[in-house]
Amino acid sequence: MIKDEVKIEIAKLKEKGIESTLAVVIVGDDPASRSYVNSKKKTCSEVGINSIEYALDSTTTQEDLENLIERLNQDPKINGILVQLPLPNGLDEARVCKKILPQKDVDGFHPMNVGMLTTGIDFEYSIKPCTPFGVIELLKRENIEIRGKHAVVIGRSNIVGKPLALLLLRENATVTICHSHTKNLKEICKTADILVAAVGKPKFVTADMVKEGAVVIDVGINRDETSKKIVGDVDFEVVKEVASYITPVPGGVGPMTVAMLMKNTLFATLLQNGLL
Ligand code: GUN
């Protein structure tokens, strides 16, 4: 388990007198964001990372938020800064992502980290976005070969689709990105050896879109309006009959994402202490 590995490394750092601390910033009272933040803080305490929450009112101004980030940037005791997205209307997410010091940007959203991921320059010193990084780690741990495979990613967000496509490309997959304007979506998906759904629509991927034996990774986290349950982007019950491997929701990519956040916070701590 990744969390256990991080826990061991954090304990080793403690023996050297080095602590690892994550600042978690949440603005407003979106229930989904609250639940993600709680789960991140809980996981921090499980692995021995300190977490400090900064819960700001939904009326917070851009200036106040950026001032807080500046303070956290300057604070040597803070190793990682995470601003939970989405931000309330009126706040500029791009400016917030740019404001966080790249070496404290545990989400990997700063243009510097994105640039390192895109070009491969100093790739090993860059911080990778947690969900895409988690998907790659999951495929590797399950011994699923990526090299030479046709990977189809549905979704082109900065958080998942785009960086995941780049990471898959780095692993030598042949990558196709599909999105809302894609023609023949079903036909393209059907050619995928590895199909990743990051759309945000329940049951978007149906059995007729999946090649027999394909690997299906469901990144979706949607709340079903009738059952109120959390469901993915894939119609799991039917697709599982066609796929050779499929991740469930809840329980697949979600926990992996939080585990990778822990790994990133450890990484940022090592980076800042000259230990890499
Ligand atoms: N909102 C949805 N996914 C993420 C993520 O990975 N990081 C942050 N900060 N916010 C998110």
Side-chain angles (χ1 to χ4, degrees):
M1 280 271 285
I2 294 168
K3 283 198 290 184
D4 299 322
E5 294 163 18
V6 173
K7 189 174 177 172
I8 291 168
E9 295 305 315
I10 292 290
K12 281 192 203 158
L13 283 179
K14 269 193 192 145
E15 282 173 15
K16 293 187 196 160
I18 299 170
E19 299 228 358
S20 180
T21 303
L22 174 67
V24 183
V25 181
I26 176 168
V27 189
D29 47 17
D30 175 60
S33 290
R34 170 43 66 199
S35 135
Y36 296 142
V37 162
N38 287 350
S39 135
K40 290 169 185 179
K41 283 165 51 190
K42 180 168 168 276
T43 313
C44 278
S45 85
E46 283 168 17
V47 302
I49 293 174
N50 309 313
S51 69
I52 306 177
E53 179 181 299
Y54 297 83
L56 307 182
D57 201 83
S58 60
T59 57
T60 300
T61 62
Q62 184 79 27
E63 192 186 4
D64 286 344
L65 179 55
E66 290 192 26
N67 284 343
L68 169 63
I69 294 170
E70 185 55 32
R71 199 151 55 79
L72 299 170
N73 279 344
Q74 301 301 332
D75 185 343
K77 289 195 289 300
I78 300 291
N79 304 105
I81 304 170
L82 178 141
V83 178
Q84 186 63 35
L85 303 178
L87 290 171
N89 285 341
L91 293 173
D92 185 336
E93 291 181 356
R95 269 174 58 195
V96 167
C97 292
K98 268 199 304 191
K99 183 79 190 174
I100 298 170
L101 272 181
Q103 62 269 35
K104 293 193 178 186
D105 167 38
V106 287
D107 262 325
F109 295 160
H110 189 284
M112 173 72 89
N113 283 314
V114 178
M116 290 157 103
L117 169 67
T118 309
T119 59
I121 297 172
D122 286 342
F123 179 82
E124 60 274 35
Y125 296 108
S126 72
I127 303 182
K128 289 94 192 156
C130 303
T131 305
F133 196 19
V135 170
I136 299 290
E137 190 72 22
L138 192 146
L139 292 171
K140 288 187 175 170
R141 285 181 187 237
E142 295 290 340
N143 288 317
I144 295 166
E145 183 153 56
I146 305 173
R147 183 171 58 95
K149 297 289 170 65
H150 184 206
V152 174
V153 180
I154 320 172
R156 54 170 161 178
S157 70
N158 286 330
I159 296 182
V160 185
K162 260 190 265 180
L164 178 56
L166 288 162
L167 284 173
L168 287 163
L169 188 60
R170 217 191 132 75
E171 297 293 334
N172 297 312
T174 303
V175 183
T176 303
I177 307 177
C178 295
H179 48 79
S180 52
H181 295 261
T182 299
K183 296 195 172 78
N184 310 322
L185 179 87
K186 188 175 285 188
E187 288 72 22
I188 295 170
C189 291
K190 194 119 193 169
T191 66
D193 303 306
I194 300 170
L195 181 62
V196 185
V199 207
K201 289 189 182 142
K203 297 193 179 178
F204 185 84
V205 174
T206 47
D208 57 338
M209 294 165 74
V210 181
K211 182 166 77 177
E212 183 79 37
V215 169
V216 179
I217 307 292
D218 191 349
V219 180
I221 302 179
N222 313 293
R223 185 172 294 271
D224 185 90
E225 279 316 314
T226 39
S227 69
K228 302 287 173 205
K229 283 193 185 140
I230 297 296
V231 296
D233 290 345
V234 176
D235 190 350
F236 184 87
E237 287 308 318
V238 293
V239 173
K240 78 174 198 304
E241 303 300 332
V242 188
S244 63
Y245 178 86
I246 181 168
T247 62
V249 177
V253 173
M256 199 64 180
T257 295
V258 184
M260 296 317 272
L261 173 66
M262 301 302 115
K263 211 170 154 88
N264 279 354
T265 307
L266 165 65
F267 180 82
T269 307
L270 295 172
L271 199 61
Q272 289 152 37
N273 284 279
L275 295 171
L276 284 181

